Amino acid sequence: MHRFFVLACIALAAALSACSTTRQAPDTSIKTASVIAPEGRTLTSKRSEDDEAPRMTGWHHLAGRTLEVSSLADLKLQDKEVILSFDDGPIPGRTDKVLAILDRFGVKGAFMMVGEMAELHPALARKVAENGNTIGSHTYDHANLSSLDFDAAMAEVIKGELAVTKATGTDVSFFRFPYLAESHRLRAAIAMRDMVVMDVDIDSKDYFATTPLSVTQRTMDLLHKRGRGIILMHDIHKRTATMLPTLLSDLEAEGYKVVTLKFKKAQTPNNVLASADFVTIR
């Protein structure tokens, strides 16, 4: 009986110890998320080394209107409207991740493809187009057009346009200058080809060797100052795919809308459109 009593006391002491309210030291190895899910949505618990923050699941309200443009003069964004643009792809393992993230948030981007990259990865280039994204070209091999004479520069533009058209199976109606190195003469000549030159309002500088969080913060800081605009990113960088869910979550939480671009063939003569392309209107 005495032995039974001792064992009972030990069991009771253990139970009381388990109910103790003494707070344990925090686990400093756990990092808190930088994104909080808006009401009505949840965060998945799985994270990989490449994830900057937990991914949101559920319904999103980030998608905005579709804007049809014939020239740069038509590209007028309202407050809290952005265009997501991606240069230099496509490249497997990066562009496809960007596409999956855009799909998850229900938005589209404008992909300015390098012709040579589109030729190397035609299936991926076609997938970008088939997903409803805006297709543009970015020359054939990312040449600095300001270092070429006019004829050589236009040959590079045209070669890139044809390569992207062939790979995607769709018309290429937008163009961005590599390094943003342009001239009025080139802008006019490109407009004559029924293409809209895409400028940049917010440069994410995702090509810098920095953290995905820094890219997100830089982009949002610039956007807060401007209020709207075309965001430049690159779908060839790992950090871009890593930071994109957080950037889109931040945009959504702050009430921004992502505009989808669509080209509309103008009835105005091309030489008038080319003149309009000299002036950037925002």
Side-chain angles (χ1 to χ4, degrees):
M1 178 65 75
H2 177 71
R3 182 179 179 184
F4 177 81
F5 177 77
V6 171
L7 291 175
C9 289
I10 292 174
L12 178 62
L16 291 174
S17 176
C19 295
S20 174
T21 57
T22 302
R23 182 167 295 180
Q24 299 291 323
D27 185 351
T28 57
S29 67
I30 299 175
K31 298 179 180 178
T32 57
S34 61
V35 176
I36 300 176
E39 185 177 357
R41 268 183 276 148
T42 59
L43 294 173
T44 59
S45 59
K46 292 184 179 179
R47 290 185 68 184
S48 69
E49 292 180 348
D50 296 335
D51 285 332
E52 180 184 336
R55 298 174 176 177
M56 290 184 178
T57 61
W59 182 79
H60 293 278
H61 51 84
L62 187 57
R65 62 187 173 124
T66 296
L67 179 61
E68 295 187 340
V69 300
S70 301
S71 71
L72 188 62
D74 298 328
L75 216 165
K76 299 176 183 177
L77 297 177
Q78 301 170 2
D79 286 341
K80 293 225 164 182
E81 285 188 334
V82 298
I83 293 171
L84 308 173
S85 66
F86 301 89
D87 286 7
D88 295 356
I91 184 169
R94 308 288 169 82
T95 302
D96 42 345
K97 287 184 179 179
V98 169
L99 289 177
I101 294 165
L102 294 179
D103 282 348
R104 191 160 72 241
F105 281 83
V107 296
K108 306 299 179 185
F111 288 77
M112 306 292 110
M113 298 184 184
V114 172
E116 188 175 31
M117 299 298 290
E119 277 186 351
L120 288 171
H121 312 292
L124 184 54
R126 186 176 291 271
K127 181 180 179 182
V128 174
E130 290 176 347
N131 279 22
N133 297 285
T134 304
I135 303 299
S137 63
H138 198 43
T139 72
Y140 182 74
D141 62 4
H142 207 274
N144 185 336
L145 300 186
S146 65
S147 66
L148 305 175
D149 63 40
F150 177 78
D151 289 340
M154 282 307 299
E156 174 72 17
V157 170
I158 294 169
K159 185 178 181 181
E161 176 192 348
L162 294 176
V164 174
T165 298
K166 182 178 180 181
T168 60
T170 188
D171 291 336
V172 175
S173 302
F174 295 86
F175 176 84
R176 178 172 281 146
F177 285 93
Y179 313 105
L180 303 181
E182 61 175 81
S183 71
H184 287 314
R185 188 181 180 191
L186 284 172
R187 287 182 77 104
I190 291 168
M192 291 281 287
R193 296 186 62 81
D194 283 331
M195 287 198 293
V196 177
V197 174
M198 285 277 287
D199 288 328
V200 174
D201 298 318
I202 313 290
D203 188 351
S204 71
K205 289 185 168 54
D206 57 351
Y207 44 86
F208 282 2
T210 185
T211 65
L213 182 60
S214 296
V215 177
T216 303
Q217 190 62 57
R218 178 188 301 112
T219 303
M220 292 304 297
D221 286 347
L222 292 172
L223 188 56
H224 290 154
K225 293 177 182 178
R226 190 176 183 93
R228 60 179 181 255
I230 302 171
I231 300 175
L232 170 62
M233 293 172 281
H234 299 79
D235 54 320
I236 62 171
H237 297 305
K238 181 178 180 181
R239 72 179 63 86
T240 303
T242 301
M243 58 77 75
L244 192 55
T246 301
L247 176 64
L248 297 183
S249 295
D250 287 352
L251 291 173
E252 188 172 29
E254 295 189 23
Y256 286 90
K257 294 294 184 181
V258 174
V259 170
T260 300
L261 273 184
K262 185 176 180 181
F263 182 75
K264 179 179 66 174
K265 191 167 181 64
Q267 315 211 342
T268 308
N270 278 341
N271 60 340
V272 175
L273 293 179
S275 298
D277 249 353
F278 286 165
V279 180
T280 301
I281 299 177
R282 294 281 183 266

